[in-house]
Amino acid sequence: MSFIQDVFDSLKWLTVWEVILCALNLFVLLRYVLPLLKNNRWFDFIPSVGVIIAVISLFNGDTSILALLIYSSTAILFVCTVGRIFKPAIKPMSLKIRIVMVIVCVLGSLPTLFALSIAGEIRYNPVSDLSHQSYSKAFIAMNERLSNEYPFGDWKQIDWEGQRNKYEPLFLQAEINQDPNLYYKTLREYLFSFRDGHIKITNEHLYDDNNTFKKEVGGGVGISAVRLDNGKVLVSLLLAGSPADKSGIKLGAEIISWDGKDVQKALDQTFWSENPSATEGDRIQNQGRFLARAPIGKEIQVEYRNRGDQAIMTAMLTAYDDQYETLKKTKVKLKKEDPPVEGEILQKEYGYVKIRYFLPGTTQSDPAQALEDKIKEFQEKHVKGIIIDLRDNPGGEDDLVAQMAGHFVNEKKLLEYVSYYNRNTGRFEINRAETRIVYPSQVYFPGKIAVLINHNTASSGEGLPLFLKGMPNVKMIGFTSTNGSFGVVSAPIEMKMPGGYVVRFPDGRSLNRDKTIQGDSDERQKGGATPDITVPMNEQTFRMKVIEGQDVELNYALASFNG
């Protein structure tokens, strides 16, 4: 019954042409199923009409998976019945032929039934081709579409008219001056203003061929920095042989001023990052990474104090082309050969499992089974608790999250409702077929759980922390909340912009049991799963993590089991 309900509910995601095709295909199917005695000549042409409508829909731009599956059903029915156009039936079909035709028609309808069962996820969401318009007109059209369709406009309290008033003059200036760099920087600033980690320019390669990025932050001096909770800014990465290293700056040195500015002011004025920062914690992390980036060849005066010294030193550093090494070393990049799930026993008492991403890997095809095997092993060893490490988990499939979450509940529980913009009604509606329920697994762990998170725990990676948050046996542990970008990207909003850029936005939102948006950051840059135990970023934890190389969050997790 649920499947049938989902199919009927999914009809609301179809275009007019898709609805007509489904109706025609169903009519053809019923015609062969019902034992009608009289043959009507006009009926033989209905499959051909279906093909014509499919072609019209295709030329209108509907090449979604949903449409292609419906087109395939239409084509199958046409091929099976085309002979009747040239050789009409004189008498009713025999029972044997009718049975064959029924089987053929049922098989032909399977693609449509499958499409309807997941119609919300694979629905038609047209790409807006604005590439031939001027900078300013393309921006206005983009802003207008987003004001209706962006899933978090109200949640983030975006002032669409204010956005237009702020950015249109900049796009117009870039247009008048024929300045592609200003256009790109303005487009980027506009996109990043949404504070949504799912928003991106899909066809750009920042480290490879982005001239504006190279010109602005292509140079480094060999360091990266971290801001402590008390406001101090310390060197968290030092490249051997770099200008900073040669000048005497040591790992852990406190930066007093940067390029003639107080370091706090310099940090606040640092706006570059690879991706939009959805939360305050993510923004602070990226500012520390990009503080020491500059145009190649730029000379930067730095005041600093090395660890253990009282004297403030001054150095003049020249930015060089380091191939973005400081950025690459401070951003985790997963490898294809890294298994999605692996674990071990720590201190002979605690289970530890690392979930890198929620997708099958090249060396591990079934992450859910891998997690189940680990939990069984932990139970056999009678562990006192399990640590689930989700730090730097970029996401994957929400369905896999729901499957894995079943090991930590003893009754069914909602993971999420999913809501999309319905182009037919002009409002956001829940896609019933995509409601995710977590069902208890046969392998259930009722003991203490510590979940490690950070600002790079993003997208579906935030699903498990959000689900487990608040359970009496679970503690979230981290320096910051998760990324705050839990939006759904099924049939994303895409726009082709001038300059060859293709921009992409999430198309759906995850809702909790109260049908309120969950996970995504709001207008205050608050979002994601927040720690129950916030690890302080102070001199002590900095020394332990950066200087001594300890896993501070893991230490806090182990301590939480005895708290």
Side-chain angles (χ1 to χ4, degrees):
M1 182 62 69
S2 177
F3 174 78
I4 296 175
Q5 290 175 335
D6 290 347
V7 168
F8 277 103
D9 183 74
S10 293
L11 292 174
K12 66 188 178 187
W13 304 113
L14 303 184
T15 66
V16 173
W17 297 118
E18 290 167 350
V19 169
I20 294 174
L21 284 176
C22 287
L24 287 178
N25 292 345
L26 178 62
F27 181 65
V28 172
L29 172 63
L30 292 176
R31 170 63 179 81
Y32 286 117
V33 170
L34 296 176
L36 299 178
L37 298 177
K38 185 179 179 181
N39 288 306
N40 295 297
R41 177 62 174 150
W42 56 267
F43 175 79
D44 296 334
F45 292 90
I46 290 180
S48 302
V49 174
V51 170
I52 295 172
I53 292 173
V55 171
I56 293 173
S57 178
L58 186 63
F59 273 97
N60 280 337
D62 190 355
T63 57
S64 63
I65 298 176
L66 173 63
L68 294 177
L69 288 170
I70 295 174
Y71 298 161
S72 66
S73 292
T74 304
I76 291 172
L77 293 179
F78 172 75
V79 170
C80 292
T81 59
V82 66
R84 287 178 168 267
I85 296 177
F86 306 101
K87 189 178 180 181
I90 301 174
K91 58 183 179 178
M93 288 186 292
S94 66
L95 179 61
K96 181 184 292 187
I97 295 177
R98 186 179 296 280
I99 292 174
V100 171
M101 292 301 295
V102 167
I103 294 173
V104 170
C105 290
V106 169
L107 292 176
S109 299
L110 290 179
T112 296
L113 288 174
F114 174 70
L116 290 175
S117 69
I118 54 174
E121 299 172 70
I122 60 174
R123 71 199 181 285
Y124 177 50
N125 199 8
V127 175
S128 294
D129 189 354
L130 311 173
S131 59
H132 301 296
Q133 297 186 19
S134 66
Y135 294 161
S136 58
K137 288 184 178 180
F139 161 70
I140 292 171
M142 173 172 60
N143 193 63
E144 178 64 26
R145 179 177 178 183
L146 293 175
S147 68
N148 294 316
E149 299 180 31
Y150 178 61
F152 308 107
D154 294 338
W155 181 249
K156 295 176 181 287
Q157 295 186 12
I158 295 175
D159 179 359
W160 298 104
E161 188 64 27
Q163 291 284 83
R164 176 170 177 172
N165 293 337
K166 178 179 179 179
Y167 291 106
E168 184 181 0
L170 296 174
F171 280 109
L172 191 58
Q173 181 182 346
E175 181 181 314
I176 293 172
N177 297 338
Q178 297 184 347
D179 187 343
N181 286 332
L182 176 60
Y183 161 67
Y184 170 75
K185 291 173 67 174
T186 305
L187 175 63
R188 202 170 189 276
E189 182 182 338
Y190 172 76
L191 298 179
F192 279 45
S193 72
F194 289 82
R195 306 176 308 280
D196 186 335
H198 277 123
I199 295 176
K200 62 176 65 177
I201 300 175
T202 62
N203 60 337
E204 72 172 355
H205 305 281
L206 284 178
Y207 293 166
D208 299 326
D209 57 6
N210 190 301
N211 293 328
T212 303
F213 190 74
K214 182 82 170 179
K215 182 179 178 181
E216 295 273 345
V217 292
V221 295
I223 64 172
S224 187
V226 165
R227 193 184 84 178
L228 304 186
D229 295 339
N230 63 9
K232 287 185 178 180
V233 179
L234 306 184
V235 174
S236 57
L237 172 70
L238 178 67
L239 300 181
S242 66
D245 182 36
K246 292 177 181 178
S247 72
I249 296 176
K250 305 296 184 183
L251 189 66
E254 179 186 357
I255 300 175
I256 308 299
S257 71
W258 186 268
D259 198 20
K261 303 171 187 173
D262 176 80
V263 69
Q264 291 295 336
K265 185 176 181 180
L267 203 65
D268 289 340
Q269 292 178 352
T270 301
F271 61 88
W272 280 97
S273 63
E274 294 100 336
N275 304 106
S277 296
T279 61
E280 180 70 4
D282 191 32
R283 182 183 68 84
I284 291 173
Q285 291 288 333
N286 277 311
Q287 284 180 330
R289 296 175 62 239
F290 277 83
L291 173 68
R293 305 300 306 180
I296 297 171
K298 180 177 180 179
E299 291 188 340
I300 304 166
Q301 181 176 298
V302 183
E303 290 183 319
Y304 66 95
R305 181 192 291 116
N306 280 325
R307 292 178 64 245
D309 292 347
Q310 296 298 318
I312 295 177
M313 308 295 289
T314 301
M316 187 64 72
L317 309 177
T318 302
Y320 72 106
D321 186 357
D322 66 345
Q323 301 297 306
Y324 303 108
E325 188 171 1
T326 64
L327 297 181
K328 294 175 181 177
K329 284 184 176 293
T330 52
K331 193 173 184 68
V332 174
K333 185 174 183 180
L334 297 173
K335 301 175 183 177
K336 292 182 179 180
E337 59 270 19
D338 289 336
V341 176
E342 61 181 359
E344 58 182 314
I345 302 290
L346 300 178
Q347 300 180 3
K348 299 181 180 180
E349 295 182 307
Y350 306 103
Y352 169 85
V353 59
K354 174 71 174 178
I355 304 179
R356 290 188 173 87
Y357 48 89
F358 288 98
L359 287 170
T362 56
T363 60
Q364 190 179 85
S365 60
D366 191 348
Q369 184 62 52
L371 177 62
E372 181 174 310
D373 292 342
K374 280 298 170 187
I375 294 176
K376 286 181 180 178
E377 177 188 345
F378 296 155
Q379 289 176 327
E380 291 169 358
K381 298 294 179 63
H382 304 289
V383 298
K384 295 182 178 179
I386 292 179
I387 298 168
I388 304 174
D389 191 349
L390 295 171
R391 289 173 294 180
D392 303 309
N393 185 314
E397 298 175 354
D398 285 4
D399 289 329
L400 187 54
V401 174
Q403 186 178 355
M404 289 181 167
H407 296 296
F408 309 110
V409 294
N410 56 10
E411 60 182 6
K412 71 177 184 179
K413 185 178 178 181
L414 176 76
L415 175 69
E416 65 180 347
Y417 297 108
V418 176
S419 169
Y420 298 117
Y421 178 77
N422 189 316
R423 303 184 66 82
N424 297 319
T425 62
R427 61 175 182 266
F428 282 88
E429 298 182 20
I430 289 176
N431 179 35
R432 187 183 185 281
E434 214 171 340
T435 299
R436 293 185 173 91
I437 304 294
V438 175
Y439 295 95
S441 171
Q442 290 184 346
V443 179
Y444 168 57
F445 182 80
K448 292 183 177 181
I449 299 171
V451 182
L452 303 183
I453 57 175
N454 66 4
H455 65 286
N456 284 327
T457 306
S459 193
S460 294
E462 302 180 73
L464 191 56
L466 287 168
F467 178 78
L468 297 176
K469 177 75 175 176
M471 292 185 182
N473 62 321
V474 176
K475 295 293 183 184
M476 299 287 149
I477 299 171
F479 286 103
T480 68
S481 70
T482 58
N483 190 265
S485 301
F486 194 50
V488 181
V489 187
S490 295
I493 304 169
E494 282 194 359
M495 304 186 201
K496 295 180 180 179
M497 300 296 289
Y501 300 112
V502 178
V503 298
R504 176 179 293 176
F505 300 80
D507 57 308
R509 45 197 184 186
S510 174
L511 310 179
N512 60 23
R513 62 182 181 181
D514 299 322
K515 298 183 179 177
T516 300
I517 290 173
Q518 62 176 344
D520 276 80
S521 62
D522 57 20
E523 79 284 358
R524 301 165 298 160
Q525 289 188 289
K526 302 292 184 181
T530 56
D532 299 307
I533 301 175
T534 301
V535 182
M537 179 53 78
N538 54 31
E539 282 87 346
Q540 180 184 5
T541 55
F542 178 89
R543 184 189 74 250
M544 294 168 63
K545 187 175 184 67
V546 177
I547 307 299
E548 300 173 2
Q550 295 187 41
D551 192 333
V552 176
E553 300 104 303
L554 182 61
N555 293 340
Y556 268 74
L558 291 169
S560 74
F561 292 135
N562 300 316

